[in-house]
Amino acid sequence: VTAAGICRECSLETGGCCRSEPCVPGFPLSPPELERLIAHLHLAAKAPGAETPLEQVSMAARNDEEFLKAVTSMLPRHKKEPAALFLPDGEHRKLRLMPSGDCVFRSEQGCRLPRDARPWYCTLFPLWTRGDAVMLMNPEGCRLRAVTASPLEAMRMLGVTATDVRLRFAALLRDWNLK
C-alpha cells in the first residue's frame, strides 16, 4: 500500500482533501503561490463566474474570527504576524472551489498541477511542523492519517524526509515574509 494509492482511492470516493465546503476556511494562498497557480491556469477546470485568471485559480474568503484562529493555531510561533497579514473583516485568497466543492485543479486522477506548482499547504498535507518537529495533522476523514501511526511512517509512505517537510514549511513562511 502506497500513500499515492491511498490518496487516489480517497480522492475518487470522497474528494478527500481536494474537496471542501466554500464556507470552510482554507489555508490562504500567498502572492508567490498565486503567481504559480496562474502560470498553470490551463490545468484548471473552468470555474463558473470566474472572469480573471486570479478568479479562475482562487476565491476571496473573509478574514473572520474562525479563519484568524485557525491560522494563528497553525503558526503558533507567529501569533502577531497573521493578525497583521490578515486584518479582521478583510479578505484573503484560497484555492478556488467548483460548485461541487472540488478544487479547480482536482481531476479523477488527482491533482492536475505538477508538484512544484502546488500550494505549500497541499505539498505538506497531512504533515506540518512545530519548531523542528514534524507532526501529523489529524484531519477528519484523511485515510492516509488513519493508516499511519507516526509522522515517520507517513513521511516514508509519502516518499519525503523530515528535511523535505521543513524546507517546504520554510518556503511557506518565506512566501508570507514570516521569520
Side-chain angles (χ1 to χ4, degrees):
V1 172
T2 66
I6 291 169
C7 294
R8 187 172 18 267
E9 180 182 301
C10 183
S11 179
L12 286 171
E13 290 180 19
T14 68
C17 54
C18 301
R19 180 177 290 157
S20 181
E21 297 296 322
C23 61
V24 172
F27 202 82
L29 296 168
S30 66
E33 288 173 308
L34 288 166
E35 288 176 21
R36 286 196 312 270
L37 293 172
I38 289 169
H40 289 83
L41 180 62
H42 63 285
L43 298 175
K46 179 71 174 144
E51 304 294 325
T52 67
L54 180 65
E55 292 170 332
Q56 278 293 313
V57 300
S58 68
M59 56 196 287
R62 304 277 315 143
N63 294 345
D64 60 18
E65 190 175 323
E66 181 183 5
F67 166 76
L68 293 169
K69 185 178 176 182
V71 170
T72 302
S73 74
M74 293 188 79
L75 301 169
R77 289 184 35 210
H78 306 278
K79 286 189 188 300
K80 293 180 183 170
E81 291 99 333
L85 284 170
F86 308 107
L87 300 175
D89 298 321
E91 291 184 334
H92 62 279
R93 305 297 297 185
K94 68 179 191 176
L95 281 167
R96 178 105 174 136
L97 300 177
M98 300 297 284
S100 64
D102 286 349
C103 170
V104 295
F105 293 104
R106 181 180 177 269
S107 75
E108 292 297 317
Q109 291 74 41
C111 186
R112 291 182 177 104
L113 289 168
R115 184 156 289 283
D116 63 349
R118 294 177 189 173
W120 295 118
Y121 182 85
C122 297
T123 67
L124 286 162
F125 190 86
L127 300 165
W128 201 249
T129 68
R130 288 277 195 261
D132 284 338
V134 173
M135 57 177 269
L136 270 170
M137 290 187 260
N138 197 18
E140 186 177 321
C142 176
R143 291 189 185 166
L144 180 63
R145 177 63 176 101
V147 299
T148 54
S150 70
L152 189 59
E153 186 178 357
M155 287 186 285
R156 183 186 54 74
M157 288 184 77
L158 290 166
V160 298
T161 66
T163 299
D164 296 330
V165 174
R166 288 185 197 102
L167 288 172
R168 290 175 188 172
F169 190 78
L172 179 149
L173 294 176
R174 187 178 54 250
D175 279 1
W176 282 109
N177 294 314
L178 297 171
K179 307 215 177 343

